[in-house]
């Protein structure tokens, strides 16, 4: 499964869903709303965050030592996650 392709499809479906509610008579307003739907910012980027209620497991360093994760994750998340 390609997560980016899936994300694009979900956004496209969501735009279609939102557009189905719109009935704008004024062409100028309709054009501006159309630009907002096609541009960035109308639909926010996905939010990725940690849920602290999960049971803690191995540290990032341990996972890297076991060759289960990419070494760049350690740099990405910082020393506090080791």
């Amino acid at each position: 499964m390609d997560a980016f392709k899936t994300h694009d499809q979900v956004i496209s479906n969501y735009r279609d869903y939102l557009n189905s509610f719109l009935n704008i008579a004024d062409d100028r307003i309709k054009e501006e709303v159309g630009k907002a739907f096609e541009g960035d910012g109308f639909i926010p980027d996905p939010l990725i965050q940690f849920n602290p209620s999960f049971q803690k497991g191995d540290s990032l360093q341990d996972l890297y030592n076991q060759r289960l994760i990419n070494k760049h994750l350690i740099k990405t998340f910082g020393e506090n996650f080791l």
Side-chain angles (χ1 to χ4, degrees), residues 2-58:
D2 183 341
F4 296 105
K5 189 182 286 186
T6 301
H7 174 261
D8 290 342
Q9 186 61 50
V10 168
I11 295 301
S12 176
N13 290 346
Y14 187 57
R15 278 192 178 113
D16 292 343
Y17 171 74
L18 292 176
N19 270 321
S20 72
F21 290 99
L22 298 177
N23 186 12
I24 301 171
D26 188 301
D27 289 335
R28 294 171 297 172
I29 295 172
K30 187 185 287 187
E31 182 180 341
E32 289 303 314
V33 170
K35 287 178 188 176
F37 269 104
E38 295 307 317
D40 293 333
F42 183 77
I43 298 175
D45 289 332
L47 173 65
I48 299 173
Q49 62 187 40
F50 293 104
N51 184 340
S53 65
F54 283 106
Q55 180 179 351
K56 290 187 178 185
D58 293 336

Side-chain angles (χ1 to χ4, degrees), residues 60-78:
L60 287 179
Q61 187 66 53
D62 292 338
L63 294 173
Y64 172 70
N65 292 342
Q66 297 170 42
R67 298 178 187 253
L68 295 174
I69 63 167
N70 186 293
K71 66 181 177 185
H72 297 293
L73 281 176
I74 295 172
K75 254 200 304 193
T76 301
F77 291 118

